[in-house]
Amino acid sequence: MEDSTKLKLDVKHSRIQAIVEGKCPQCREGKMFMYPFWQIGKFDKMHDNCPVCNLRFEVEPGFWYGAMFISYAINVAFLAFLGVAIFFVFNDPPILYYIIPITVLSLAAVPFNFRASRSLFIHLFGFVKYKPR
C-alpha cells in the first residue's frame, strides 16, 4: 500500500487562493497588481509581467476587454443583493432609499470589482497552466 504521507495538497498555491489574492496564474506566487486595492489612485496599476516567473499578463492585445463581462456580472449580483437586502431590512422603503446606498456602495466597490474580474478572467480564460517551481 502507498504511504499516505506522500500525498500532499498544495494548499499554499491553490487556484482559488491565487484568484482571491490576485496572484499569477502560472506560478501562483507573483502579484498581479503593484499596489494594495485601498490605494485609490493606484488600484488599477498592474505589472506587465509576473515578478516571479516573468509571465506576460496581457496574453494578447485587448485581452482585458473580456474581464469587463465578469465585472458586469459581479456588479449586477452585488446590486441585486443590495436591493433585496434594503427591501427586507427597511420593509420596502421609498425609491431614494435604494438609489443612494446602492450608488455609493457600488462606487466604493470599484477597486475590488476591477481586481476580482481581472484575476478571475486570467485564471479561468487565460489558458495559462500552473507550473510549480
Side-chain angles (χ1 to χ4, degrees), residues 1 3-4 8 10 18 28-29 49 55 84 113 128 130 132:
M1 220 167 149
D3 187 15
S4 63
K8 185 170 115 179
D10 194 5
R28 297 184 185 165
E29 292 180 22
N49 296 352
L55 170 76
V84 170
N113 193 358
V128 179
Y130 172 53

Side-chain angles (χ1 to χ4, degrees), residues 111-126:
F112 167 77
N113 193 358
F114 178 86
R115 288 174 173 238
S117 63
R118 285 201 172 196
S119 184
L120 272 169
F121 190 70
I122 195 167
H123 278 271
L124 299 179
F125 303 109

Side-chain angles (χ1 to χ4, degrees), residues 36-74:
F37 73 92
W38 57 80
Q39 289 189 349
I40 300 301
K42 301 176 182 179
F43 75 89
D44 61 337
K45 304 292 185 219
M46 289 184 66
H47 295 285
D48 290 331
N49 296 352
C50 175
V52 176
C53 69
N54 205 29
L55 170 76
R56 181 160 171 79
F57 288 131
E58 189 169 7
V59 179
E60 60 188 34
F63 175 73
W64 295 119
Y65 286 120
M68 289 189 309
F69 294 103
I70 292 179
S71 174
Y72 178 75
I74 291 171

Side-chain angles (χ1 to χ4, degrees), residues 80-94 97-98 102:
F81 173 77
L82 284 175
V84 170
I86 290 170
F87 178 83
F88 285 112
V89 170
F90 297 108
N91 198 15
D92 195 18
Y97 285 58
Y98 290 97
I102 286 176

Side-chain angles (χ1 to χ4, degrees), residues 92-114:
D92 195 18
I95 193 73
L96 200 57
Y97 285 58
Y98 290 97
I99 293 174
I100 293 172
I102 286 176
T103 302
V104 169
L105 290 174
S106 65
L107 288 174
V110 166
F112 167 77
N113 193 358
F114 178 86

